[in-house]
Amino acid sequence: MTTALTPSSPSVSARASAGPWRTAARVLVRHRGAMVSLAVLALVTVACLLAPVYADDVAHTDPFTSNVAGTVMLDGRQVDIMQPNDNPLHLGLSPIGPTWRMAAYPLGADSQGRDVAARLLYGGRNSLLIAFSAAALCIMVAACVGIVAGYAGGVVDAVLSRMMDIMWAVPVYLFAISLSIVTVSQGLRIGPFTVASDNLLIPICIIALVYVPYAARPVRGRVMTLRRSEFVTAARGLGVPGHRIVLRDILPNVTGTLVVLAPLMTALALMAESALSFLSIGVQAPAASWGTIIQDGEGLIYTRPMVAVAPGLAIIVVVLALNILGDGMRDALDVRDGDRGRG
Amino acid sequence: MAMAILRRLGQTLFVLVGISVLVFLVFFATPGADPTARIAGRNASPQTVARVRVEYGFDRPLPVQYIRMMEKLFVTRDLTSYVNRGEKVVPEVFQAAPVTVSLVTGAAVIWVLASVAMGTLAAALRGGWVDRGLMMLGLVGISIPVFWLGQVANLLTQSRYHDSWLFSWVPGLGYVPFMQDPLGWFRALVIPWFTLAVLFIGIYSRVLRADLVAVRGEDFMRTARAKGLSPARVLLFHGLRTSMITFVSLFGLDFAQLVGGGALLTEVVFGLQGVGRLTYQALGNLDLPLIMATVMYSAVFVVIANAVVDMLYLLLDPRVRDGRA
């Protein structure tokens, strides 16, 4: 702190010239939790991207076809994947439990004899893809809405804000469920474009849409303060056209808010995706997501709990990492928004 | 004051109309298939389809369809489910409501008590390991999907440790009406209450802690400290009381959203036949009238509840009440 008072020293002037992003990055790097979270997220993403490698070259299974009659080599013995229950009469069959061996059903099989570990990795691809894309799309739309509403003010702001109010009043999950149920049966047809009902674009767009009001609100608030700021007034006084002010003066100053929103929106999107998939109106079978695997595991929860427990732990780890990262980024960029974590 | 209330009422009315239009558009104007087929359900006979078309006015323009739909939902309340053998939908929703209210109320008591305790403790011990630990715990709570937590709770209390002294009192899944057996009602709901509360304990304790820390710098807090009041008294009677304003308005929103269907996942996992589970079953057989009714009624409930909370807020906050802010 004391060095800030002596701008003549060369190291201080070098630090002063570092932009806000550089400064924020420096703070973030020193945030241990955020760095650990980033590493965890990278690790999970890479693992999920390697899903085909695991399924084809390590486990030699197809995680999308039923394998009820299959067998697996364990300690040199052929073991049935569907095994008789250990009740006195050996009634009914249960899938094989966790073997904890990389190549042979490490997390066991689901009720269709499919390798849970392979499905977990493939499911992670879908879950992460949907979460990241939905968050990106949502933030882009919210940025447009927030900037237009905040900068234009007046009637435009009133109309957009009322629309956001209305969307916000419908409970988020019910809104997403309604949109999913009308698209899940027959898909979507907009003019010449047809989107099949099992297309991942559908959950992505739905999740992005329902969270737009949530993300647009802080953006609009920030833009409204910026609009009254001196440099915007100065730009307007110089006769700079409105679109230029928005792009050159407003947008760079809103970016901090948007960047801080990104991990939090991704976390919310991942939770929403898993909930929709759990209700079987998100990712459609035979494709997997962490939510659908939990749904598959529901019937096996007392006999083979690992089927549902493993994807749940994956969700918790990723969402927790995203939340910690979000906290770290908010501290680093020093953006305050009053009402997070609602819905 | 009166003006403020009137303005709020007008706004509420506007949002109510807006919401009904939005829900209507989602169900009947989403590009794709014919809404008639959606209402009539899977494998409906041509006669049923024809009847649905006339009944809902699908052969007429959209505004007429909208009016007809609102009439069926709120005036005549004779919206019928074609999938479910002509069951009247609206009474079904109202029958399920007490279950949802029981679930959400109990959870709310738990999350308010727990989060006030956690938030205040963390703020009092700001910066220490207790603070960091509690806030980390809150973050973990926020990150757990509630349907997964419910399944794990079931696994532990219904199966793995059901025979131990710890969970032998837990009854099988399902709801017991309070009037029929108060103790049974309580025992059936304890585990769902805690499961539902976890997320909100996380959110509220973090919000409260941040608020309490922020309020420390206010003038009245400095005055209270300068008067020589004990730190505990300053925190509890001066700080907490102020922070409660944010807390209460947040609570009103979340409580309403949960009663209005937000508790769906918890109800599904614990087999509680509330409004949410009703919606879930309707999802299974694409029973659109039922889903639409639950969504519409929940949205209306949420809007009205928010308006009530806002008006209470107007009455409670002296700055707003006397028109000073």
Side-chain angles (χ1 to χ4, degrees):
Chain A
M1 275 298 116
T2 48
T3 50
L5 297 171
T6 54
S8 55
S9 122
S11 69
V12 168
S13 64
R15 181 175 291 177
S17 70
W21 293 106
R22 182 88 53 90
T23 320
R26 200 171 286 148
V27 176
L28 192 63
V29 168
R30 254 184 272 124
H31 194 295
R32 214 184 316 146
M35 285 301 106
V36 172
S37 305
L38 260 184
V40 167
L41 288 174
L43 206 69
V44 173
T45 311
V46 169
C48 290
L49 287 177
L50 288 176
V53 178
Y54 172 78
D56 297 341
D57 300 331
V58 180
H60 304 288
T61 58
D62 180 353
F64 299 112
T65 49
S66 175
N67 188 22
V68 193
T71 56
V72 61
M73 284 295 276
L74 267 187
D75 302 330
R77 285 185 302 124
Q78 290 282 341
V79 179
D80 284 337
I81 286 171
M82 301 305 279
Q83 297 169 333
N85 284 336
D86 44 351
N87 54 34
L89 290 172
H90 295 288
L91 287 173
L93 293 171
S94 284
I96 191 168
T99 63
W100 307 115
R101 262 160 245 182
M102 268 307 271
Y105 292 80
L107 299 174
D110 66 9
S111 55
Q112 296 187 46
R114 300 174 296 196
D115 186 345
V116 173
R119 278 182 77 73
L120 190 67
L121 294 179
Y122 271 104
R125 284 159 75 104
N126 281 339
S127 287
L128 293 176
L129 177 69
I130 292 175
F132 284 121
S133 328
L137 184 63
C138 173
I139 288 176
M140 273 192 287
V141 176
C144 293
V145 172
I147 290 176
V148 169
Y151 189 74
V155 181
V156 179
D157 180 32
V159 170
L160 283 174
S161 299
R162 288 295 89 75
M163 273 170 63
M164 292 295 116
D165 281 355
I166 289 168
M167 281 169 68
W168 194 237
V170 188
V172 179
Y173 281 139
L174 280 190
F175 194 10
I177 285 172
S178 316
L179 285 167
S180 303
I181 194 73
V182 290
T183 49
V184 82
S185 47
Q186 282 116 345
L188 205 57
R189 231 165 290 150
I190 309 167
F193 303 104
T194 312
V195 184
S197 60
D198 58 352
N199 195 319
L200 292 188
L201 267 177
I202 290 183
I204 290 174
C205 291
I206 288 173
I207 293 168
L209 180 69
V210 299
Y211 280 114
V212 163
Y214 181 90
R217 188 178 300 185
V219 177
R220 171 176 169 271
R222 180 95 182 93
V223 174
M224 282 174 72
T225 4
L226 285 173
R227 193 169 65 125
R228 286 190 293 269
S229 67
E230 282 165 0
F231 65 92
V232 172
T233 317
R236 219 183 282 144
L238 286 170
V240 180
H243 62 90
R244 213 181 139 83
I245 297 183
V246 166
L247 287 180
R248 287 297 185 81
D249 297 317
I250 306 273
L251 193 59
N253 284 294
V254 177
T255 322
T257 311
L258 298 179
V259 168
V260 169
L261 273 173
L264 303 176
M265 293 316 296
T266 313
L268 286 177
L270 185 68
M271 292 288 245
E273 182 279 326
S274 65
L276 287 181
S277 294
F278 175 73
L279 297 171
S280 55
I281 48 176
V283 173
Q284 296 296 304
S289 93
W290 286 337
T292 64
I293 307 173
I294 297 183
Q295 159 78 40
D296 292 341
E298 193 179 20
L300 295 167
I301 189 75
Y302 298 143
T303 48
R304 296 287 178 255
M306 195 42 87
V307 182
V309 168
L313 290 177
I315 294 174
I316 295 172
V317 165
V318 171
V319 172
L320 190 59
L322 284 166
N323 278 328
I324 295 175
L325 183 64
D327 273 8
M329 280 166 67
R330 186 173 28 204
D331 292 346
L333 284 164
D334 197 28
V335 182
R336 297 263 158 254
D337 70 321
D339 58 1
R340 67 169 286 250
R342 198 187 284 168
Chain B
M1 178 67 191
M3 259 325 276
I5 288 186
L6 272 181
R7 191 158 356 105
R8 191 70 188 79
L9 275 177
Q11 217 178 346
T12 308
L13 213 61
F14 174 82
V15 173
L16 278 178
V17 174
I19 272 197
S20 63
V21 172
L22 177 72
V23 175
F24 172 79
L25 288 179
V26 165
F27 280 98
F28 295 106
T30 305
D34 181 10
T36 322
R38 292 203 191 118
I39 293 276
R42 261 182 208 145
N43 313 322
S45 67
Q47 289 91 329
T48 316
V49 174
R51 209 171 79 216
V52 169
R53 179 155 314 183
V54 176
E55 198 187 328
Y56 288 84
F58 286 136
D59 44 358
R60 314 272 295 275
L62 271 180
V64 178
Q65 294 179 22
Y66 170 76
I67 306 265
R68 178 98 31 116
M69 197 67 226
M70 290 308 120
E71 194 184 303
K72 279 184 144 331
L73 270 169
F74 295 108
V75 183
T76 56
R77 301 199 193 161
D78 61 347
L79 191 66
T80 43
S81 150
Y82 284 91
V83 184
N84 205 357
R85 300 173 306 281
E87 184 97 38
K88 290 264 187 295
V89 166
V90 178
E92 220 179 334
V93 173
F94 277 91
Q95 249 166 36
V99 183
T100 307
V101 173
S102 300
L103 172 65
V104 178
T105 312
V109 171
I110 293 173
W111 99 56
V112 167
L113 292 178
S115 60
V116 167
M118 273 172 68
T120 316
L121 194 63
L125 304 171
R126 194 162 52 101
W129 62 268
V130 175
D131 175 25
R132 254 175 286 145
L134 283 176
M135 288 303 106
M136 197 61 214
L137 211 61
L139 210 52
V140 172
I142 295 174
S143 309
I144 302 177
V146 65
F147 53 93
W148 180 83
L149 186 63
Q151 284 190 350
V152 172
N154 278 342
L155 172 67
L156 297 180
T157 61
Q158 300 282 342
S159 165
R160 288 295 185 271
Y161 297 103
H162 187 64
D163 298 330
S164 74
W165 56 271
L166 200 55
F167 292 124
S168 55
W169 53 270
V170 180
L173 297 182
Y175 179 72
V176 181
F178 179 76
M179 286 310 179
Q180 192 184 311
D181 175 9
L183 187 66
W185 172 83
F186 181 80
R187 288 201 300 192
L189 284 171
V190 170
I191 302 290
W193 281 340
F194 275 98
T195 306
L196 181 59
V198 164
L199 167 72
F200 295 95
I201 294 174
I203 296 175
Y204 281 63
S205 59
R206 288 174 65 84
V207 168
L208 184 63
R209 179 204 175 265
D211 226 52
L212 279 174
V213 169
V215 97
R216 276 177 62 93
E218 297 266 346
D219 287 346
F220 65 87
M221 293 290 278
R222 201 180 44 198
T223 310
R225 274 195 297 275
K227 276 198 300 192
L229 297 182
S230 71
R233 206 184 154 83
V234 173
L235 184 71
L236 292 178
F237 290 87
H238 296 250
L240 193 58
R241 214 178 138 189
T242 323
S243 301
M244 272 299 150
I245 295 177
T246 337
F247 194 90
V248 166
S249 57
L250 202 61
F251 177 83
L253 277 174
D254 282 331
F255 188 82
Q257 290 235 350
L258 278 181
V259 172
L264 179 135
L265 292 161
T266 317
E267 286 176 12
V268 169
V269 175
F270 288 106
L272 301 167
Q273 193 60 24
V275 182
R277 187 141 186 271
L278 209 58
T279 317
Y280 173 71
Q281 286 159 341
L283 289 181
N285 45 19
L286 284 181
D287 187 354
L288 279 211
L290 183 51
I291 301 175
M292 195 172 56
T294 52
V295 173
M296 196 69 98
Y297 270 95
S298 334
V300 166
F301 176 77
V302 170
V303 173
I304 292 176
N306 284 352
V308 169
V309 169
D310 272 10
M311 287 196 222
L312 284 180
Y313 191 80
L314 284 178
L315 291 174
L316 288 178
D317 191 335
R319 286 170 303 186
V320 183
R321 187 177 55 211
D322 306 341
R324 268 185 276 144

PDB file of all heavy atoms in Angstrom, chain B residues 188-209:
ATOM      1  N   ALA B 188     -42.655 -39.360   8.400  1.00  0.00           N
ATOM      2  CA  ALA B 188     -42.545 -39.567   6.958  1.00  0.00           C
ATOM      3  C   ALA B 188     -41.844 -38.405   6.281  1.00  0.00           C
ATOM      4  O   ALA B 188     -41.272 -38.557   5.208  1.00  0.00           O
ATOM      5  CB  ALA B 188     -43.942 -39.763   6.352  1.00  0.00           C
ATOM      6  N   LEU B 189     -41.900 -37.229   6.913  1.00  0.00           N
ATOM      7  CA  LEU B 189     -41.406 -36.039   6.226  1.00  0.00           C
ATOM      8  C   LEU B 189     -40.032 -35.556   6.678  1.00  0.00           C
ATOM      9  O   LEU B 189     -39.429 -34.721   6.016  1.00  0.00           O
ATOM     10  CB  LEU B 189     -42.423 -34.898   6.376  1.00  0.00           C
ATOM     11  CG  LEU B 189     -43.659 -35.020   5.492  1.00  0.00           C
ATOM     12  CD1 LEU B 189     -44.685 -33.977   5.869  1.00  0.00           C
ATOM     13  CD2 LEU B 189     -43.302 -34.882   4.024  1.00  0.00           C
ATOM     14  N   VAL B 190     -39.535 -36.082   7.826  1.00  0.00           N
ATOM     15  CA  VAL B 190     -38.282 -35.536   8.359  1.00  0.00           C
ATOM     16  C   VAL B 190     -37.150 -35.613   7.327  1.00  0.00           C
ATOM     17  O   VAL B 190     -36.467 -34.622   7.058  1.00  0.00           O
ATOM     18  CB  VAL B 190     -37.871 -36.257   9.649  1.00  0.00           C
ATOM     19  CG1 VAL B 190     -36.470 -35.849  10.052  1.00  0.00           C
ATOM     20  CG2 VAL B 190     -38.835 -35.902  10.754  1.00  0.00           C
ATOM     21  N   ILE B 191     -36.952 -36.792   6.743  1.00  0.00           N
ATOM     22  CA  ILE B 191     -35.840 -36.958   5.800  1.00  0.00           C
ATOM     23  C   ILE B 191     -36.042 -36.073   4.554  1.00  0.00           C
ATOM     24  O   ILE B 191     -35.116 -35.351   4.162  1.00  0.00           O
ATOM     25  CB  ILE B 191     -35.682 -38.448   5.414  1.00  0.00           C
ATOM     26  CG1 ILE B 191     -35.450 -39.299   6.664  1.00  0.00           C
ATOM     27  CG2 ILE B 191     -34.532 -38.624   4.426  1.00  0.00           C
ATOM     28  CD1 ILE B 191     -34.119 -39.104   7.323  1.00  0.00           C
ATOM     29  N   PRO B 192     -37.245 -36.076   3.938  1.00  0.00           N
ATOM     30  CA  PRO B 192     -37.451 -35.146   2.814  1.00  0.00           C
ATOM     31  C   PRO B 192     -37.217 -33.689   3.196  1.00  0.00           C
ATOM     32  O   PRO B 192     -36.632 -32.939   2.415  1.00  0.00           O
ATOM     33  CB  PRO B 192     -38.914 -35.372   2.430  1.00  0.00           C
ATOM     34  CG  PRO B 192     -39.214 -36.756   2.861  1.00  0.00           C
ATOM     35  CD  PRO B 192     -38.379 -37.002   4.071  1.00  0.00           C
ATOM     36  N   TRP B 193     -37.636 -33.291   4.408  1.00  0.00           N
ATOM     37  CA  TRP B 193     -37.427 -31.905   4.844  1.00  0.00           C
ATOM     38  C   TRP B 193     -35.948 -31.538   4.796  1.00  0.00           C
ATOM     39  O   TRP B 193     -35.561 -30.535   4.219  1.00  0.00           O
ATOM     40  CB  TRP B 193     -37.935 -31.709   6.280  1.00  0.00           C
ATOM     41  CG  TRP B 193     -39.411 -31.559   6.392  1.00  0.00           C
ATOM     42  CD1 TRP B 193     -40.281 -31.208   5.390  1.00  0.00           C
ATOM     43  CD2 TRP B 193     -40.199 -31.740   7.570  1.00  0.00           C
ATOM     44  NE1 TRP B 193     -41.553 -31.172   5.890  1.00  0.00           N
ATOM     45  CE2 TRP B 193     -41.535 -31.486   7.208  1.00  0.00           C
ATOM     46  CE3 TRP B 193     -39.897 -32.097   8.882  1.00  0.00           C
ATOM     47  CZ2 TRP B 193     -42.585 -31.573   8.131  1.00  0.00           C
ATOM     48  CZ3 TRP B 193     -40.939 -32.183   9.800  1.00  0.00           C
ATOM     49  CH2 TRP B 193     -42.273 -31.924   9.417  1.00  0.00           C
ATOM     50  N   PHE B 194     -35.135 -32.385   5.422  1.00  0.00           N
ATOM     51  CA  PHE B 194     -33.712 -32.076   5.469  1.00  0.00           C
ATOM     52  C   PHE B 194     -33.105 -32.082   4.072  1.00  0.00           C
ATOM     53  O   PHE B 194     -32.278 -31.232   3.733  1.00  0.00           O
ATOM     54  CB  PHE B 194     -32.980 -33.065   6.395  1.00  0.00           C
ATOM     55  CG  PHE B 194     -33.027 -32.651   7.828  1.00  0.00           C
ATOM     56  CD1 PHE B 194     -33.954 -33.195   8.705  1.00  0.00           C
ATOM     57  CD2 PHE B 194     -32.153 -31.684   8.292  1.00  0.00           C
ATOM     58  CE1 PHE B 194     -34.015 -32.797  10.023  1.00  0.00           C
ATOM     59  CE2 PHE B 194     -32.207 -31.280   9.623  1.00  0.00           C
ATOM     60  CZ  PHE B 194     -33.141 -31.831  10.484  1.00  0.00           C
ATOM     61  N   THR B 195     -33.529 -33.035   3.241  1.00  0.00           N
ATOM     62  CA  THR B 195     -32.984 -33.121   1.889  1.00  0.00           C
ATOM     63  C   THR B 195     -33.268 -31.842   1.110  1.00  0.00           C
ATOM     64  O   THR B 195     -32.387 -31.285   0.454  1.00  0.00           O
ATOM     65  CB  THR B 195     -33.614 -34.320   1.161  1.00  0.00           C
ATOM     66  OG1 THR B 195     -33.416 -35.476   1.952  1.00  0.00           O
ATOM     67  CG2 THR B 195     -32.997 -34.504  -0.205  1.00  0.00           C
ATOM     68  N   LEU B 196     -34.522 -31.393   1.196  1.00  0.00           N
ATOM     69  CA  LEU B 196     -34.901 -30.189   0.458  1.00  0.00           C
ATOM     70  C   LEU B 196     -34.205 -28.957   1.024  1.00  0.00           C
ATOM     71  O   LEU B 196     -33.878 -28.021   0.284  1.00  0.00           O
ATOM     72  CB  LEU B 196     -36.427 -30.019   0.516  1.00  0.00           C
ATOM     73  CG  LEU B 196     -37.028 -28.829  -0.222  1.00  0.00           C
ATOM     74  CD1 LEU B 196     -36.691 -28.885  -1.696  1.00  0.00           C
ATOM     75  CD2 LEU B 196     -38.540 -28.816  -0.051  1.00  0.00           C
ATOM     76  N   ALA B 197     -33.963 -28.973   2.352  1.00  0.00           N
ATOM     77  CA  ALA B 197     -33.435 -27.771   2.994  1.00  0.00           C
ATOM     78  C   ALA B 197     -31.960 -27.531   2.689  1.00  0.00           C
ATOM     79  O   ALA B 197     -31.508 -26.388   2.726  1.00  0.00           O
ATOM     80  CB  ALA B 197     -33.643 -27.856   4.511  1.00  0.00           C
ATOM     81  N   VAL B 198     -31.218 -28.596   2.355  1.00  0.00           N
ATOM     82  CA  VAL B 198     -29.760 -28.475   2.229  1.00  0.00           C
ATOM     83  C   VAL B 198     -29.346 -27.342   1.280  1.00  0.00           C
ATOM     84  O   VAL B 198     -28.531 -26.486   1.629  1.00  0.00           O
ATOM     85  CB  VAL B 198     -29.152 -29.814   1.764  1.00  0.00           C
ATOM     86  CG1 VAL B 198     -27.742 -29.626   1.248  1.00  0.00           C
ATOM     87  CG2 VAL B 198     -29.151 -30.806   2.907  1.00  0.00           C
ATOM     88  N   LEU B 199     -29.934 -27.329   0.079  1.00  0.00           N
ATOM     89  CA  LEU B 199     -29.582 -26.301  -0.903  1.00  0.00           C
ATOM     90  C   LEU B 199     -29.796 -24.902  -0.334  1.00  0.00           C
ATOM     91  O   LEU B 199     -28.936 -24.027  -0.457  1.00  0.00           O
ATOM     92  CB  LEU B 199     -30.447 -26.484  -2.161  1.00  0.00           C
ATOM     93  CG  LEU B 199     -30.430 -25.334  -3.155  1.00  0.00           C
ATOM     94  CD1 LEU B 199     -29.106 -25.290  -3.880  1.00  0.00           C
ATOM     95  CD2 LEU B 199     -31.564 -25.470  -4.142  1.00  0.00           C
ATOM     96  N   PHE B 200     -30.933 -24.723   0.339  1.00  0.00           N
ATOM     97  CA  PHE B 200     -31.281 -23.379   0.806  1.00  0.00           C
ATOM     98  C   PHE B 200     -30.469 -22.976   2.023  1.00  0.00           C
ATOM     99  O   PHE B 200     -30.178 -21.800   2.215  1.00  0.00           O
ATOM    100  CB  PHE B 200     -32.782 -23.292   1.070  1.00  0.00           C
ATOM    101  CG  PHE B 200     -33.566 -23.461  -0.196  1.00  0.00           C
ATOM    102  CD1 PHE B 200     -34.067 -24.690  -0.557  1.00  0.00           C
ATOM    103  CD2 PHE B 200     -33.741 -22.395  -1.057  1.00  0.00           C
ATOM    104  CE1 PHE B 200     -34.757 -24.854  -1.749  1.00  0.00           C
ATOM    105  CE2 PHE B 200     -34.415 -22.547  -2.243  1.00  0.00           C
ATOM    106  CZ  PHE B 200     -34.929 -23.777  -2.594  1.00  0.00           C
ATOM    107  N   ILE B 201     -30.092 -23.961   2.853  1.00  0.00           N
ATOM    108  CA  ILE B 201     -29.194 -23.642   3.954  1.00  0.00           C
ATOM    109  C   ILE B 201     -27.912 -23.061   3.372  1.00  0.00           C
ATOM    110  O   ILE B 201     -27.392 -22.049   3.837  1.00  0.00           O
ATOM    111  CB  ILE B 201     -28.887 -24.894   4.804  1.00  0.00           C
ATOM    112  CG1 ILE B 201     -30.154 -25.389   5.509  1.00  0.00           C
ATOM    113  CG2 ILE B 201     -27.810 -24.585   5.833  1.00  0.00           C
ATOM    114  CD1 ILE B 201     -29.960 -26.689   6.252  1.00  0.00           C
ATOM    115  N   GLY B 202     -27.414 -23.688   2.308  1.00  0.00           N
ATOM    116  CA  GLY B 202     -26.196 -23.207   1.661  1.00  0.00           C
ATOM    117  C   GLY B 202     -26.355 -21.785   1.162  1.00  0.00           C
ATOM    118  O   GLY B 202     -25.544 -20.904   1.471  1.00  0.00           O
ATOM    119  N   ILE B 203     -27.420 -21.543   0.404  1.00  0.00           N
ATOM    120  CA  ILE B 203     -27.613 -20.210  -0.180  1.00  0.00           C
ATOM    121  C   ILE B 203     -27.785 -19.165   0.915  1.00  0.00           C
ATOM    122  O   ILE B 203     -27.104 -18.145   0.944  1.00  0.00           O
ATOM    123  CB  ILE B 203     -28.858 -20.194  -1.089  1.00  0.00           C
ATOM    124  CG1 ILE B 203     -28.656 -21.127  -2.277  1.00  0.00           C
ATOM    125  CG2 ILE B 203     -29.146 -18.777  -1.574  1.00  0.00           C
ATOM    126  CD1 ILE B 203     -29.874 -21.273  -3.148  1.00  0.00           C
ATOM    127  N   TYR B 204     -28.695 -19.442   1.859  1.00  0.00           N
ATOM    128  CA  TYR B 204     -29.065 -18.413   2.835  1.00  0.00           C
ATOM    129  C   TYR B 204     -27.954 -18.105   3.811  1.00  0.00           C
ATOM    130  O   TYR B 204     -27.761 -16.962   4.193  1.00  0.00           O
ATOM    131  CB  TYR B 204     -30.341 -18.837   3.576  1.00  0.00           C
ATOM    132  CG  TYR B 204     -31.583 -18.598   2.755  1.00  0.00           C
ATOM    133  CD1 TYR B 204     -31.766 -19.267   1.551  1.00  0.00           C
ATOM    134  CD2 TYR B 204     -32.559 -17.700   3.147  1.00  0.00           C
ATOM    135  CE1 TYR B 204     -32.875 -19.042   0.779  1.00  0.00           C
ATOM    136  CE2 TYR B 204     -33.680 -17.474   2.380  1.00  0.00           C
ATOM    137  CZ  TYR B 204     -33.837 -18.148   1.204  1.00  0.00           C
ATOM    138  OH  TYR B 204     -34.934 -17.922   0.438  1.00  0.00           O
ATOM    139  N   SER B 205     -27.215 -19.141   4.227  1.00  0.00           N
ATOM    140  CA  SER B 205     -26.150 -18.848   5.185  1.00  0.00           C
ATOM    141  C   SER B 205     -25.089 -17.981   4.518  1.00  0.00           C
ATOM    142  O   SER B 205     -24.531 -17.080   5.149  1.00  0.00           O
ATOM    143  CB  SER B 205     -25.546 -20.138   5.735  1.00  0.00           C
ATOM    144  OG  SER B 205     -25.030 -20.915   4.688  1.00  0.00           O
ATOM    145  N   ARG B 206     -24.820 -18.219   3.241  1.00  0.00           N
ATOM    146  CA  ARG B 206     -23.815 -17.409   2.545  1.00  0.00           C
ATOM    147  C   ARG B 206     -24.306 -15.977   2.342  1.00  0.00           C
ATOM    148  O   ARG B 206     -23.557 -15.022   2.532  1.00  0.00           O
ATOM    149  CB  ARG B 206     -23.446 -18.061   1.218  1.00  0.00           C
ATOM    150  CG  ARG B 206     -22.620 -19.317   1.405  1.00  0.00           C
ATOM    151  CD  ARG B 206     -22.395 -20.029   0.111  1.00  0.00           C
ATOM    152  NE  ARG B 206     -21.596 -19.270  -0.823  1.00  0.00           N
ATOM    153  CZ  ARG B 206     -20.270 -19.241  -0.828  1.00  0.00           C
ATOM    154  NH1 ARG B 206     -19.606 -19.946   0.059  1.00  0.00           N
ATOM    155  NH2 ARG B 206     -19.611 -18.529  -1.706  1.00  0.00           N
ATOM    156  N   VAL B 207     -25.573 -15.850   1.933  1.00  0.00           N
ATOM    157  CA  VAL B 207     -26.124 -14.512   1.733  1.00  0.00           C
ATOM    158  C   VAL B 207     -26.119 -13.733   3.046  1.00  0.00           C
ATOM    159  O   VAL B 207     -25.710 -12.571   3.106  1.00  0.00           O
ATOM    160  CB  VAL B 207     -27.557 -14.595   1.168  1.00  0.00           C
ATOM    161  CG1 VAL B 207     -28.248 -13.246   1.232  1.00  0.00           C
ATOM    162  CG2 VAL B 207     -27.534 -15.091  -0.271  1.00  0.00           C
ATOM    163  N   LEU B 208     -26.553 -14.415   4.124  1.00  0.00           N
ATOM    164  CA  LEU B 208     -26.651 -13.738   5.424  1.00  0.00           C
ATOM    165  C   LEU B 208     -25.281 -13.311   5.924  1.00  0.00           C
ATOM    166  O   LEU B 208     -25.109 -12.198   6.426  1.00  0.00           O
ATOM    167  CB  LEU B 208     -27.319 -14.672   6.438  1.00  0.00           C
ATOM    168  CG  LEU B 208     -27.570 -14.049   7.804  1.00  0.00           C
ATOM    169  CD1 LEU B 208     -28.534 -12.880   7.682  1.00  0.00           C
ATOM    170  CD2 LEU B 208     -28.141 -15.080   8.772  1.00  0.00           C
ATOM    171  N   ARG B 209     -24.307 -14.193   5.757  1.00  0.00           N
ATOM    172  CA  ARG B 209     -22.962 -13.850   6.217  1.00  0.00           C
ATOM    173  C   ARG B 209     -22.438 -12.629   5.462  1.00  0.00           C
ATOM    174  O   ARG B 209     -21.929 -11.682   6.069  1.00  0.00           O
ATOM    175  CB  ARG B 209     -22.004 -15.018   6.011  1.00  0.00           C
ATOM    176  CG  ARG B 209     -20.594 -14.691   6.449  1.00  0.00           C
ATOM    177  CD  ARG B 209     -19.579 -15.551   5.742  1.00  0.00           C
ATOM    178  NE  ARG B 209     -18.225 -15.143   6.092  1.00  0.00           N
ATOM    179  CZ  ARG B 209     -17.504 -14.307   5.362  1.00  0.00           C
ATOM    180  NH1 ARG B 209     -18.005 -13.787   4.270  1.00  0.00           N
ATOM    181  NH2 ARG B 209     -16.290 -13.996   5.726  1.00  0.00           N
TER     182      ARG B 209
END
